[in-house]
Amino acid sequence: MFKALVLTQEGENTLANITQIQESDLPEGEVLVDVAYSSLNYKDGLAITGIGRIIRHFPMVPGIDFSGVVNESADPRYKKGDEVILTGWGVGENHWGGMAEKARVKADWLVPMPLTCNAQKAMMIGTAGLTAMLCVQALQDAKITPESGDILVTGASGGVGSVAVSLLARLGYKVVASSGRVEQNSELLLSLGASEVIERSELEQDSRPLEKQRWAGIVDTVGNKVLATALAQMNYGGAAAICGLAGGFALPTTVMPFILRGVSLLGIDSVSCPLDKRQAAWERVIELLPESYYQQAAQTIELDEVAAYADKIVNGQVTGRILVKV
Ligand code: NDP
C-alpha cells in the first residue's frame, strides 16, 4: 500500500483526501515510477477545487507533473533506476497523476532527466517552467530580440510568470512585470530580473483598439482584458506568446493590432508538445534558470497541504512555484 491524494466527487463538490492505494489500482502504462516530487500548477488548483471541471471521471489522483525513479518498465527506453520527468499528456486530468508515491504511465509521455538536473529542481521548474521556456522560445523564433524593445510578462508573480521573468532577463531582455500584487511581490520580481513592475489594473481596463506602442513582446498567462490592452499597446511587428487564462478565457480585442501593426499571436501548449521540442526546452530551461531562482521563488509543501494550497492558487495568492514532496 502507498499514499495518494485522491479526488472524489460528491454532488457538486470535489473532495480531496489522502488515501492508501495499491499498485493494482493504478491505470495501465508501460512504466511504473516511484514519484519523488510533484508540483502545484494553476490547472491542479482548478482540478482539486473542482472549479475548473478539469476532471471528467472520478476517483482521480491529481498532479499534472512529477519527477521520480523508474521502478519497473516494459519499454526498452527505460529501465529500473532511471530518473524521469513527466508533464502534461492529460496526466492528473484523465490519467492518475503525480500526487501519489507511485504512478504508472505510458513510456512515450516521459522525458529522461537531463544530466545537470535532479528530481527536486525538475519540479521546481515543472509544467509552469517548461511553458515559460516554450513562450520565450516562441518569441525568439518570431525574431523578437533584446534590441526589439520591452517585453511584458503578465501574471508575473505566478509560476509561469516568475520563470519567464527570470529567463528573459537572463537572455538580456528588458522585462516589465505586470502583477496584481505589486506591493507584496515587486522586490522579488526585481530580484528575478524585471526592470520595472507595473500594476495589473493599468492593463485591466477597456482599451482603445490601438494605444501608444509599448511592447515588443508579451508572455501572457492571464488573458482577458489584460491581454487585450497589451495587444493594443504592441509595437509594430511585435509578438505575443499566450499560454494562460488566470484572468479568464475571454479575449475582448479587435483585429486592429494584427492588421495595422502586423502583430502576431503565438499560442503555446505544453500538454501535447512533441517530444523533441519538449526535451530541447527542458535542456534549455535548466541551462538558463539561475540557481537563485530556486532559492527565491520556490517553496516546498507536503501532500497533506496540497488541498489548502489549491484554494490559494486559484485565488491568485501563490507566489512563484510550489514543489510538492510526495
Ligand atoms: P499561477 O497561479 O502560479 O500564476 C497565475 C498568476 O496570474 C498569479 O500569480 C497572478 O499573478 C495572476 N492572476 C491570478 N488571478 C488573476 C486574475 N483574476 N486576473 C488577472 N491575473 C490573475 O499559475 P501558473 O503560472 O501555473 O499558470 C498560469 C496560467 O497559465 C494558468 O491559466 C494556466 O492554466 C496556464 N498554463 C498553460 C499552460 C499551457 O500549456 N498552455 C501550461 C501551464 C500553465 P499576479 O498576482 O502577479 O498578477
Side-chain angles (χ1 to χ4, degrees):
M1 300 294 282
F2 58 90
K3 204 167 56 168
L5 183 68
V6 178
L7 304 181
T8 51
Q9 186 77 352
E10 262 188 32
E12 289 295 292
N13 299 324
T14 302
L15 308 178
N17 288 299
I18 306 275
T19 308
Q20 292 291 323
I21 61 170
Q22 48 194 347
E23 271 177 31
S24 58
D25 295 328
L26 293 173
E28 285 184 9
E30 299 93 29
V31 187
L32 178 69
V33 179
D34 291 330
V35 177
Y37 292 96
S38 185
S39 81
L40 187 72
N41 295 274
Y42 188 82
K43 197 190 264 178
D44 295 309
L46 293 177
I48 293 164
T49 58
I51 290 173
R53 300 255 170 261
I54 298 287
I55 292 173
R56 301 281 168 201
H57 58 91
F58 294 88
M60 177 61 63
V61 174
I64 64 167
D65 50 20
F66 64 78
S67 57
V69 178
V70 172
N71 178 308
E72 228 174 70
S73 172
D75 186 284
R77 285 169 291 177
Y78 294 99
K79 59 176 193 320
K80 189 175 170 67
D82 286 349
E83 283 199 276
V84 289
I85 305 174
L86 180 138
T87 66
W89 301 115
V91 171
E93 297 180 60
N94 43 47
H95 184 103
W96 285 15
M99 294 198 188
E101 288 171 324
K102 289 176 198 244
R104 194 184 285 121
V105 294
K106 286 192 178 176
D108 284 348
W109 296 343
L110 293 167
V111 170
M113 181 71 69
L115 283 176
T116 50
C117 196
N118 59 45
Q120 190 182 21
K121 273 189 174 175
M123 280 304 108
M124 285 180 175
I125 298 168
T127 300
L130 173 68
T131 306
M133 189 70 246
L134 292 172
C135 288
V136 172
Q137 284 176 334
L139 293 181
Q140 290 183 312
D141 292 347
K143 307 276 184 288
I144 306 299
T145 66
E147 290 68 42
S148 307
D150 293 2
I151 310 294
L152 174 71
V153 176
T154 65
S157 350
V160 177
S162 60
V163 176
V165 169
S166 301
L167 294 176
L168 288 162
R170 185 72 189 264
L171 288 165
Y173 290 90
K174 182 165 174 241
V175 184
V176 178
S178 158
S179 176
R181 293 173 287 167
V182 170
E183 216 166 287
Q184 185 186 327
N185 287 332
S186 69
E187 202 179 318
L188 172 70
L189 291 167
L190 293 170
S191 74
L192 294 179
S195 302
E196 195 186 333
V197 182
I198 62 170
E199 291 278 358
R200 181 202 297 162
S201 56
E202 236 186 79
L203 300 167
E204 206 170 33
Q205 39 199 297
D206 295 332
S207 58
R208 294 190 301 277
L210 291 175
E211 297 197 340
K212 185 167 178 284
Q213 299 186 32
R214 277 179 94 175
W215 319 117
I218 305 177
V219 172
D220 178 66
T221 72
V222 161
N224 220 335
K225 284 187 179 176
V226 168
L227 175 58
T229 303
L231 288 171
Q233 298 174 348
M234 293 290 296
N235 291 357
Y236 190 91
I242 70 170
C243 70
L245 42 56
F249 60 72
L251 180 51
T253 186
T254 73
V255 297
M256 294 310 201
F258 311 103
I259 65 172
L260 294 181
R261 288 186 182 160
V263 166
S264 302
L265 265 193
L266 313 170
I268 304 300
D269 167 61
S270 65
V271 176
S272 308
C273 172
L275 188 63
D276 51 347
K277 188 171 177 184
R278 191 181 279 261
Q279 267 179 304
W282 270 108
E283 298 283 350
R284 191 78 174 125
V285 67
I286 290 160
E287 179 193 334
L288 286 176
L289 206 57
E291 206 53 42
S292 55
Y293 178 85
Y294 305 98
Q295 270 113 47
Q296 289 175 307
Q299 54 177 313
T300 306
I301 62 169
E302 302 284 331
L303 213 46
D304 59 7
E305 296 174 279
V306 166
Y309 274 80
D311 280 331
K312 288 190 187 184
I313 202 165
V314 294
N315 288 313
Q317 293 164 350
V318 154
T319 297
R321 293 279 300 139
I322 307 287
L323 181 71
V324 181
K325 191 166 183 336
V326 174

